[in-house]
């Protein structure tokens, strides 16, 4: 059985993962409107992954006999000024999410909740990948030059993500 504190903290994380899905969908829409289909595709897949993260925690709460409490999802912004600005935000957003996951791990340790600790290890590893993949794209944008005309190759490459 989950403690109330852990149940509430995990429900909050479900909300944050769905907010991430919403944020990346907004970024995908921004790239669509800029005619950058590959970037849009990358973000669309990222958005789906975030939904999967949210559902993974949702399933875990249920498996532990917890109660689901879905809250409002904050509306993300709709506009950015360049691909580089989008990816700067992705990197800092993922760093923030890593902090949230680590805070949940700390809570699991304090509560001696071994099952939650074990479940959260998947997210600890996932965050290393999430930060690295967004950071790689940001580096490539900076190397190529953060203007649409220089990013055709990268747009093509990112469009290969499945
Ligand atoms: Fe679910 Fe990108 O962290």
């Amino acid at each position: 059985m989950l403690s109330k504190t852990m149940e509430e903290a995990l429900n909050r994380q479900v909300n944050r993962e769905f907010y991430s899905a919403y944020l990346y969908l907004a970024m995908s829409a921004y790239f669509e409107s800029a005619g950058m289909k590959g970037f849009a595709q990358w973000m669309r897949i990222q958005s789906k992954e975030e939904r999967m993260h949210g559902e993974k925690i949702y399933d875990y709460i249920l498996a532990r006999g917890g109660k689901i409490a879905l809250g409002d999802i904050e509306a993300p912004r709709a506009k950015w000024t360049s691909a580089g600005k989008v990816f700067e935000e992705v990197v800092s957003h993922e760093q923030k999410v890593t902090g949230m996951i680590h805070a949940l791990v700390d809570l699991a340790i304090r509560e001696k909740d071994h099952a939650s600790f074990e479940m959260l290890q998947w997210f600890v590893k996932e965050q290393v990948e999430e930060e690295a993949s967004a950071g790689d794209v940001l580096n490539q944008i900076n190397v190529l030059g953060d203007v649409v005309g220089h990013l055709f190759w990268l747009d093509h490459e990112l469009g290969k993500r499945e």
Side-chain angles (χ1 to χ4, degrees):
M1 190 71 186
L2 280 175
S3 73
K4 262 283 154 239
T5 315
M6 184 56 84
E7 184 185 273
E8 281 169 14
L10 290 173
N11 268 300
R12 265 198 307 278
Q13 192 60 32
V14 171
N15 184 277
R16 286 159 177 167
E17 297 294 342
F18 275 88
Y19 170 74
S20 300
Y22 233 34
L23 175 65
Y24 296 154
L25 198 58
M27 289 171 170
S28 182
Y30 161 76
F31 283 124
E32 289 281 356
S33 70
M36 300 165 86
K37 292 270 181 200
F39 278 90
Q41 156 87 349
W42 194 97
M43 279 297 172
R44 189 76 184 259
I45 291 171
Q46 196 60 33
S47 175
K48 281 187 189 148
E49 282 199 5
E50 297 299 349
R51 245 170 34 220
M52 185 269 281
H53 294 171
E55 286 174 12
K56 200 174 174 76
I57 300 170
Y58 170 99
D59 286 336
Y60 173 77
I61 296 170
L62 289 178
R64 294 286 311 279
K67 197 166 175 300
I68 297 294
L70 299 176
D72 292 344
I73 300 171
E74 189 189 328
R77 64 199 279 196
K79 280 193 185 150
W80 288 266
T81 50
S82 70
K85 291 290 173 205
V86 173
F87 273 87
E88 278 173 18
E89 187 170 334
V90 175
V91 170
S92 77
H93 181 69
E94 288 302 331
Q95 287 167 344
K96 238 187 279 169
V97 174
T98 298
M100 293 169 189
I101 296 294
H102 290 182
L104 284 168
V105 173
D106 291 343
L107 178 63
I109 291 170
R110 276 202 305 280
E111 301 227 326
K112 298 187 170 52
D113 182 344
H114 296 259
S116 295
F117 178 88
E118 157 68 20
M119 182 277 291
L120 288 163
Q121 294 311 300
W122 184 90
F123 283 91
V124 170
K125 284 191 215 103
E126 178 72 3
Q127 282 311 120
V128 173
E129 274 179 38
E130 296 262 289
E131 283 190 37
S133 65
D136 282 350
V137 178
L138 181 58
N139 286 341
Q140 283 171 314
I141 291 169
N142 288 336
V143 166
L144 294 166
D146 189 12
V147 285
V148 178
H150 292 179
L151 295 174
F152 281 128
W153 168 81
L154 186 55
D155 190 51
H156 181 72
E157 288 300 304
L158 295 182
K160 292 179 186 165
R161 185 175 182 187
E162 287 175 351

